[in-house]
Amino acid sequence: MSLELDGQRRIDVVRSALNAAIKQMIFRSTKGSRISSRYRLAIITYSDQVYDLLGGVRSIEEFTQTGKLPDLTPMKFTDTAKAFEYAEELLKQELPNMQQCPAPLVCHMTDGAHTGEDPEPVARRIMNMSVPDGSVLVENIFISDAILSETIDNVKTWKGITPDTDFSSDVANKLRSMSSALPDSYREMMIESSYALRQGALMMLPGSSAELVSLGFQMSAATPVFK
Amino acid sequence: MGQDYLTVIQEGRTVYFAVCDGVSLSYYGDVAARFVGDAMLEWLTAIPNEPAETLQSLLERRLREWTVPATETVLKHDIPSNVAGMLREVLEEKKKLGSESTFVCGRIDLPDRAWPDGRLTLAWMGDTRIRLWCQDEEMTSDLGDYLDTGKRWSTARGPLGGSPNVYVRPLETGHKPLNGISVYSDGLARMDDTGRRYTDEEVQRIIDEVSGTPASDDIAFLDVRWREASVAASAVTPSRKQRHRSRPSLYALFIEALRRKNKSKL
């Protein structure tokens, strides 16, 4: 498997996509030069250990005051279950204060099979957590050269992954079972950005190009904003 | 920081007003609000005696033409020097996209030789509320389904979401003459659909209550009233918030403009 995506190092593609998603959150949170705490985020990396890069959940205002994205470094092991358990604990702390908010979203990115325990039960527990707006969403971006039988020539016209999409990879099947259905409100926001994800599409993306990785992160920031 | 803009001018027997609500997700929405408010007032002072459809075409052209000076205004607007990092990058990107605002602007011509039945001219884009009154009876249904949530004006791109709306009618029409108009930004949406006209004290109380909520938006409220049903022989120019002593055959003009900035919240 190539260590590059579209000629760039994978880690640089991830950093660039994450940067774009955070800037989108800032864009949606500013009025004049003031930022409202419209978004709260945590950034976790993991190998056989979990690393909380922001030291917990931070508001987008707090994050902006730090000035920049934390350093991301590639890891060797992939204890996905441990990372999801950490996210589960963060959500347990946050949800009581989010009863008037859109449902939180966990955006998970990986390029390989998990090591350690099966992460699916934890992911399912997270998807069963909810606020009045709806269930917590789990999105998966799987960085791989050949997850789909057909290449995606135009991301803007791509219809998305559904429960019936054919995969040749067990890892992809596992990640699909850990992915939420794309809510209509998110889908409408993506359509406004000229994407064509169909109704019933899942929040799972093959990270086979920088553009698809970026789409995955954009989806995570596409919560409806009311004026 | 408030992004609403309200301006009122009275000249002789004509009142011009603009209530503009800057779009908070655009670049400094107050820049567009101020620009389009002032530009609309100037436009209203010279509108020809034409039907609404003609005025609409004229206005749409002017809204496009104004993007040239408006873009210069935006480019000259400085991002505060203490803004750095990703926030500054985002604001620079927003600056390229321009500043946006909704607006309701109007001109009230009281009856005189030029306008024997008087005239109300309104132009708007967006979801700022308009309420028309005959005494305390609401006449807003004359506007039809007037709220256009998706429409606004952009300093970079001109009218967005469709064409501007224009409405023209005489003040005096048989047994239901218009004698008042209220205009307020969507921050006071709780006043909608009540069918009744609020007193000054009630409006102030509502403003105070709404301003205290975490999700409160900027607030602008304008109420213009005029009185007397016979043709006026002389012009009156009451000062703002001053009630004119009525005499037979004279129109009294009451203008109450309340504007309050939401100090603490986005």
Side-chain angles (χ1 to χ4, degrees), chain A residues 11 25 41 49 81 90 100 140 147 154 163 195 207 210 216:
Chain A
I11 195 66
M25 292 181 204
L41 69 157
Q49 297 295 325
L90 288 179
Q100 310 289 333
N140 286 282
I147 174 178
N154 186 346
Y195 293 101

Side-chain angles (χ1 to χ4, degrees), chain A residues 18-19 22-24 26-36 38 63-64 67-69 225 227, chain B residues 1 3 21 24-25 28 80 83 85-87 89-91 93-94 97 186 217-218 263-266:
Chain A
L18 185 54
N19 198 59
I22 292 174
K23 284 173 77 171
Q24 188 176 12
I26 296 172
F27 190 103
R28 288 154 161 262
S29 304
T30 50
K31 181 171 179 176
S33 58
R34 287 178 57 197
I35 299 184
S36 70
R38 185 165 264 165
F63 174 86
T64 306
K68 59 174 190 156
L69 200 60
V225 172
K227 178 175 173 295
Chain B
M1 179 172 69
Q3 296 194 338
D21 186 357
S24 58
L25 292 185
Y28 286 88
V83 172
M86 291 179 94
L87 177 55
E89 290 173 25
V90 167
L91 289 177
E93 286 172 26
K94 279 197 176 191
L97 298 173
D186 63 343
D217 196 355
D218 295 331
K263 292 181 182 174
S264 59
K265 300 292 181 185
L266 286 179

Side-chain angles (χ1 to χ4, degrees), chain B residues 3-5 20 29-39 101 259:
Chain B
Q3 296 194 338
D4 285 357
Y5 180 67
C20 306
D30 54 301
V31 171
R34 182 175 291 270
F35 186 99
V36 77
D38 289 343
S101 178
R259 183 162 186 262

Side-chain angles (χ1 to χ4, degrees), chain A residues 38-222:
Chain A
R38 185 165 264 165
Y39 290 92
R40 291 177 62 75
L41 69 157
I43 303 175
I44 300 164
T45 60
Y46 69 93
S47 56
D48 55 346
Q49 297 295 325
V50 174
Y51 305 92
D52 187 338
L53 299 188
L54 301 183
V57 180
R58 297 282 173 251
S59 70
I60 192 64
E61 184 185 7
E62 288 172 304
F63 174 86
T64 306
Q65 286 164 1
T66 67
K68 59 174 190 156
L69 200 60
D71 289 328
L72 303 175
T73 50
M75 305 283 185
K76 223 173 175 181
F77 299 101
T78 317
D79 195 338
T80 306
K82 196 173 270 189
F84 270 85
E85 282 166 358
Y86 189 88
E88 185 183 23
E89 288 308 309
L90 288 179
L91 286 165
K92 283 179 180 174
Q93 293 166 27
E94 288 287 308
L95 285 190
N97 301 319
M98 295 188 67
Q99 299 303 303
Q100 310 289 333
C101 301
L105 181 146
V106 176
C107 179
H108 170 236
M109 178 181 296
T110 184
D111 65 353
H114 68 270
T115 56
E117 302 289 323
D118 182 0
E120 185 175 343
V122 190
R124 293 225 165 261
R125 289 202 304 267
I126 289 174
M127 287 194 278
N128 284 331
M129 299 167 85
S130 66
V131 292
D133 177 62
S135 299
V136 174
L137 300 168
V138 176
E139 178 191 10
N140 286 282
I141 303 172
F142 180 31
I143 299 186
S144 168
D145 290 336
I147 174 178
L148 295 171
S149 54
E150 294 175 356
T151 56
I152 300 171
D153 296 319
N154 186 346
V155 176
K156 294 284 188 181
T157 59
W158 181 57
K159 300 297 183 189
I161 288 172
T162 69
D164 301 322
T165 302
D166 188 36
F167 290 140
S168 55
S169 158
D170 289 339
V171 177
N173 282 318
K174 171 63 74 175
L175 289 174
R176 174 171 44 196
S177 67
M178 292 162 53
S179 301
S180 300
L182 181 66
D184 285 340
S185 55
Y186 277 72
R187 180 170 163 267
E188 284 159 15
M189 295 292 294
M190 303 309 296
I191 288 172
E192 284 183 18
S193 299
S194 305
Y195 293 101
L197 299 170
R198 80 186 86 188
Q199 207 158 22
L202 296 173
M203 298 188 82
M204 178 180 172
L205 290 167
S208 53
S209 70
E211 188 176 6
L212 281 164
V213 172
S214 180
L215 172 59
F217 277 119
Q218 281 184 57
M219 200 186 291
S220 69

Side-chain angles (χ1 to χ4, degrees), chain B residues 193-211:
Chain B
D193 300 326
T194 59
R196 71 179 193 88
R197 200 168 191 175
Y198 290 88
T199 64
D200 297 347
E201 292 74 25
E202 286 174 322
V203 171
Q204 186 62 62
R205 190 176 68 247
I206 291 170
I207 288 174
D208 290 340
E209 287 172 7
V210 169
S211 298

